[in-house]
Amino acid sequence: MDAVSVSDMECEYYASIKKKKLAILAIAILSIIATVCSLFVSQLSTMTISDVMDVLGYHMTGTGDINPVYDMVVWDYNVPRALLGLVVGSSLAVGGAVMQSILRNPLATPYTTGVSAGASMGASLLIYLDFAILWTGGYVSSIAINAIVFAMIPTVAILIVSHQKHITPTTMILAGIAIMYIFSAATSLLMLLADPENVQEAYEWGIGSLGRASWDNIWFVTAVVIPCMVALLLFSKQVTIMNAGNRSAQSMGVRVKMIRNLSLVIIAVMTAVTVGITGGIGFIGLVAPHIARIFVGSDQKYLLPCSAALGSLILIVADAASRIIVPEGMPVGVITAVIGGPIFVLLLIKASKKVWF
Amino acid sequence: MEGIPTEDRVDADYRSYLVRKVIFIIGVLIGCIVVAGISLTINGRGIEFFDCYEYIIKHILGYEYEYRTEDWFNDYVLWNTYMPRVVIAIVSGCGLAICGVIMQSVFSNPLADPYTTGVSDGATLGATMAIVSGLTFANVAGSLGVVINAFIGALVPAVIIILISGAVRLSPATMILIGVALSGVFSGLQTLVMYSADPEELTAALRWGIGSFNQIQWSDCVIPALVTVIGSVLSIFMYRNLNLLTLGEASAKSLGLDVEQFKSLCMVLVAFMAAAIICYVGIIGFVGLISPHFVRMILGGDNKYVIPASMLVGSFFLLASDLIARLVVFPDELRVGLIMSVVGAPIFLYMIVKRKKGYGEVF
């Protein structure tokens, strides 16, 4: 091999890295644009674009004259909602991307393994029955603790199930879905025991919605999710090596068990904190990483940021779409289910063409 | 002679096997009657356990009471308020259990039932569209139109699964995952339709999300009962063909069964039964899944016995969970679909994780 071709390869390599970085940057910019655009979506037909700009300008600069109703709609409702969409979308997507690599299962996400449903149940224990495992003083953080504890149950169950020999990736996900059924039935039971009139709310909670976003809870969620995502990003090198197989990874000095368990715990914490506010939103964690893989491949170093950007983009667009289709507001989980379900089926068919499991 | 079965011993074995089946079926039947009786005693009028039977039997025999006496009121309340509930529980338990038996045989998949394959959610979407927008695919007025719409909706996921499994070799687990995804899509679409509708219609549509027997009247029982009776008679006559299918498609074909035609017939029957029941009571999951398994565990896999026994077991499960639902929160009853999920989902999980052989070999 002569020097020229080496430098050619280097050139190609750097070009591909550059392309990946550009893709991530482009998606991130798109997602920010979508976030800003989503601020303008509202039920109020009298509110114009310039009204929204006025409100935003007022809060940025502290000067100006604004309508208090518009202020409430935009600043107290739409802005936290958009921020929550950013945070939740990226955390779901990152959780899905890491889980898929760690469990070596293209269908694994916090939702399909039952982690979200477990967290929902923990959260609803406090919301509907006033049962707190540990009362911290703050409502949002107490909900989060409940959710985290209950999210650990499916996480441990999936770890145990994944160690059994005869469990194929599909069976694992089916087990996860059964766990999800158990927890969501238990959650609905809790809610209806607390108040039989809660059917509507139980339904929305099961589907997942961004409607509960407010300035009170957004800070807490962000403060937990961002460190979690950074931690997962720090593991990205090891997780990428683990793609080559656990034994090879071990021989290359990766502490496979520790990385796997720790990552799953971090994902559970991250999911639990967001689910405590949104309920279980499905399919983002599945769809975003798979689309991201098309752009940047499966190197975690690029996959995670790209998935994060894509996840928040999809969630925010879906949320805006749900508000445009049904002005009274519809849980965003409906849209993600309708779009995500067929993609899930396609992935399944693709997987079963390759191997018959 | 030891170790070599003589004709007598084979006969004796077979007879004891038959006796076991008959005893099991009679036992479940008695269980159904007892649970139905207990359920009737929660009647708000203080009518005792045995008196309930008396009133019901007398009513069936055409016994008349003097107008507005204590007996007349008791009879009126039991027969018109509480009896439809018992009947619909029996009917939907029967119907859904048959759906489960048929689907499990047709797909050679122990995890198949109308709920796990998305057929239930397809039916609800069809029915919701009929009710919410007044739009029916079939132009028949009244509740029959809703049922026909639900039937068309129920066929969609069934056809999709059959098409996919014809194109790709699907493992049982993959097939159920596809079913779960489809049911997610359909319930998403259903919610979409609901939310676009008026709030008043929304409550009507919401009723289906979690099945319930609350506020069932005699008029609601007619269509489900009719369809279930037709379905059970047909399926009891089809047991030989269903047994052939469990041998595998190739063997069934070589034994003279027109597999494709029979499968389509089965799916149409399942879709129709599921649709007729779901239109009136909503989605009740896992009955169709666990009743046949419960029966197979005890009686073995011969569909001649599995079908009637599953019908009874399905009725028993629904009667019992309806009873639980009413006992827990009275008078605001919980929903029977929820109780069924709480009981059924862990069994579903157990079946997925604990299997020893491949899925197809369970029968």
Side-chain angles (χ1 to χ4, degrees):
Chain A
M1 202 185 291
D2 56 350
V4 182
S5 80
V6 169
S7 79
D8 270 359
M9 267 169 74
E10 268 181 10
C11 275
E12 219 170 275
Y13 177 71
Y14 285 120
S16 86
I17 296 280
K18 206 175 166 192
K19 230 165 76 186
K20 285 176 186 175
K21 282 181 177 164
L22 272 176
I24 296 170
L25 194 68
I27 295 170
I29 290 170
L30 269 180
S31 138
I32 288 167
I33 292 172
T35 312
V36 174
C37 287
S38 79
L39 298 180
F40 295 93
V41 178
S42 87
Q43 257 183 280
L44 286 178
S45 50
T46 53
M47 194 165 71
T48 60
I49 291 175
S50 69
D51 289 330
V52 178
M53 300 295 277
D54 282 347
V55 171
L56 293 178
Y58 171 78
H59 284 280
M60 297 294 174
T61 59
T63 55
D65 190 27
I66 51 164
N67 182 331
V69 176
Y70 295 163
D71 182 44
M72 203 186 77
V73 170
V74 174
W75 191 253
D76 292 339
Y77 190 71
N78 277 0
V79 174
R81 191 175 176 130
L83 289 177
L84 188 69
L86 264 182
V87 173
V88 172
S90 51
S91 80
L92 287 174
V94 168
V98 176
M99 248 190 179
Q100 283 157 20
S101 300
I102 285 180
L103 298 176
R104 320 256 245 99
N105 187 335
L107 303 168
T109 69
Y111 185 73
T112 51
T113 50
V115 175
S116 316
S120 288
M121 185 182 159
S124 56
L125 265 180
L126 180 58
I127 297 174
Y128 295 97
L129 294 183
D130 289 327
F131 171 80
I133 292 168
L134 186 70
W135 183 257
T136 56
Y139 190 59
V140 179
S141 53
S142 303
I143 289 180
I145 287 174
N146 265 18
I148 289 169
V149 171
F150 275 84
M152 289 306 160
I153 300 172
T155 307
V156 171
I158 283 299
L159 266 179
I160 293 171
V161 166
S162 68
H163 281 302
Q164 295 199 358
K165 279 237 168 67
H166 65 269
I167 294 290
T168 62
T170 331
T171 328
M172 189 203 284
I173 297 303
L174 201 53
I177 282 175
I179 295 172
M180 188 176 91
Y181 279 151
I182 296 173
F183 277 110
S184 56
T187 309
S188 307
L189 197 65
L190 282 180
M191 289 177 166
L192 297 179
L193 279 181
D195 177 10
E197 301 299 306
N198 266 337
V199 181
Q200 169 90 37
E201 201 165 347
Y203 201 73
E204 282 192 11
W205 186 263
I207 300 172
S209 115
L210 293 178
R212 286 185 206 79
S214 75
W215 286 113
D216 300 332
N217 51 37
I218 185 79
W219 295 120
F220 180 76
V221 173
T222 315
V224 176
V225 166
I226 288 183
C228 286
M229 286 209 275
V230 170
L232 289 177
L233 201 58
L234 289 180
F235 290 155
S236 61
K237 200 171 167 192
Q238 279 93 330
V239 174
T240 309
I241 296 175
M242 277 161 69
N243 276 340
N246 287 348
R247 283 205 189 149
S248 323
Q250 215 145 19
S251 68
M252 282 183 253
V254 177
R255 294 165 74 180
V256 173
K257 243 188 187 159
M258 191 200 78
I259 297 279
R260 189 178 55 201
N261 295 349
L262 208 57
S263 304
L264 284 179
V265 168
I266 292 172
I267 292 170
V269 168
M270 198 162 76
T271 313
V273 169
T274 57
V275 160
I277 293 161
T278 62
I281 299 176
F283 296 113
I284 297 269
L286 183 81
V287 173
H290 279 286
I291 299 177
R293 261 176 242 270
I294 298 173
F295 291 121
V296 297
S298 49
D299 185 347
Q300 296 274 315
K301 197 170 141 197
Y302 304 106
L303 181 62
L304 292 192
C306 190
S307 304
L310 214 68
S312 50
L313 175 66
I314 295 173
L315 186 58
I316 283 170
V317 170
D319 188 46
S322 78
R323 280 187 289 163
I324 291 168
I325 296 171
V326 183
E328 289 82 19
M330 176 179 61
V332 62
V334 174
I335 303 273
T336 59
V338 171
I339 299 168
I343 295 178
F344 186 73
V345 172
L346 284 181
L347 286 171
L348 269 170
I349 294 173
K350 203 174 132 199
S352 42
K353 266 187 182 156
K354 230 183 281 170
V355 202
W356 192 57
F357 37 67
Chain B
M1 293 299 279
E2 295 219 349
I4 305 160
T6 63
E7 214 164 288
D8 285 350
R9 268 185 58 192
V10 172
D11 264 4
D13 275 359
Y14 185 64
R15 224 169 290 132
S16 78
Y17 168 79
L18 283 186
V19 167
R20 209 173 69 216
K21 288 180 177 177
V22 173
I23 289 177
F24 177 78
I25 289 177
I26 292 175
V28 178
L29 189 63
I30 293 173
C32 282
I33 294 172
V34 170
V35 174
I38 298 173
S39 175
L40 283 175
T41 52
I42 311 175
N43 52 36
R45 283 188 67 83
I47 309 169
E48 298 281 323
F49 185 62
F50 290 106
D51 295 341
C52 288
Y53 291 121
E54 206 184 317
Y55 281 116
I56 296 302
I57 291 169
K58 276 184 175 171
H59 192 108
I60 293 170
L61 294 176
Y63 198 85
E64 298 279 340
Y65 299 96
E66 207 173 311
Y67 189 56
R68 285 186 182 272
T69 54
E70 173 81 14
D71 277 340
W72 184 86
F73 270 120
N74 285 350
D75 174 67
Y76 185 85
V77 168
L78 270 189
W79 186 259
N80 288 311
T81 315
Y82 295 102
M83 201 52 197
R85 216 181 153 119
V86 169
V87 170
I88 199 84
I90 293 171
V91 164
S92 37
C94 272
L96 292 173
I98 295 174
C99 290
V101 176
I102 295 179
M103 288 187 103
Q104 286 164 20
S105 300
V106 167
F107 290 134
S108 312
N109 188 336
L111 298 171
D113 90 332
Y115 182 64
T116 53
T117 49
V119 170
S120 298
D121 280 295
T124 16
L125 175 64
T128 310
M129 283 171 75
I131 286 197
V132 165
S133 52
L135 167 110
T136 47
F137 297 129
N139 235 345
V140 185
S143 57
L144 197 62
V146 177
V147 173
I148 289 172
N149 241 2
F151 165 65
I152 295 170
L155 274 181
V156 174
V159 168
I160 292 177
I161 288 189
I162 288 181
L163 284 182
I164 293 176
S165 60
V168 196
R169 270 177 84 199
L170 292 182
S171 75
T174 314
M175 183 188 290
I176 298 303
L177 273 182
I178 290 178
V180 168
L182 286 178
S183 85
V185 174
F186 282 108
S187 72
L189 287 173
Q190 193 227 356
T191 317
L192 202 68
V193 175
M194 265 164 44
Y195 272 91
S196 334
D198 297 336
E200 268 175 53
E201 282 162 335
L202 188 133
T203 20
L206 198 62
R207 260 186 63 188
W208 283 308
I210 309 167
S212 129
F213 297 148
N214 302 353
Q215 279 135 27
I216 287 284
Q217 294 163 349
W218 279 117
S219 55
D220 300 329
C221 297
V222 179
I223 293 178
L226 211 65
V227 172
T228 303
V229 168
I230 296 171
S232 24
V233 171
L234 278 180
S235 58
I236 287 173
F237 278 117
M238 290 190 318
Y239 81 88
R240 275 174 224 273
N241 291 350
L242 285 175
N243 277 351
L244 287 183
L245 262 191
T246 54
L247 297 174
E249 276 187 29
S251 320
K253 241 176 228 171
S254 68
L255 288 167
L257 180 67
D258 186 344
V259 172
E260 297 308 318
Q261 195 191 356
F262 181 65
K263 271 186 165 180
S264 327
L265 176 73
C266 283
M267 287 321 294
V268 169
L269 185 65
V270 163
F272 202 54
M273 282 166 71
I277 293 166
I278 284 163
C279 273
Y280 291 92
V281 301
I283 295 179
I284 301 176
F286 301 113
V287 196
L289 183 79
I290 58 179
S291 318
H293 280 284
F294 187 69
V295 173
R296 281 196 202 101
M297 250 162 48
I298 296 166
L299 298 187
D302 185 356
N303 280 317
K304 187 177 174 184
Y305 303 100
V306 169
I307 292 171
S310 303
M311 284 162 61
L312 286 173
V313 170
S315 303
F316 178 77
F317 277 145
L318 284 196
L319 281 169
S321 43
D322 187 43
L323 179 65
I324 295 170
R326 296 179 61 196
L327 282 174
V328 174
V329 192
F330 181 78
D332 281 313
E333 298 103 338
L334 267 179
R335 287 158 168 258
V336 61
L338 201 51
I339 306 277
M340 213 51 231
S341 307
V342 171
V343 178
I347 299 177
F348 183 52
L349 176 65
Y350 178 82
M351 282 168 55
I352 294 163
V353 177
K354 264 298 161 199
R355 75 195 166 99
K356 294 250 159 55
K357 297 175 189 167
Y359 274 131
E361 296 144 39
V362 176
F363 291 100

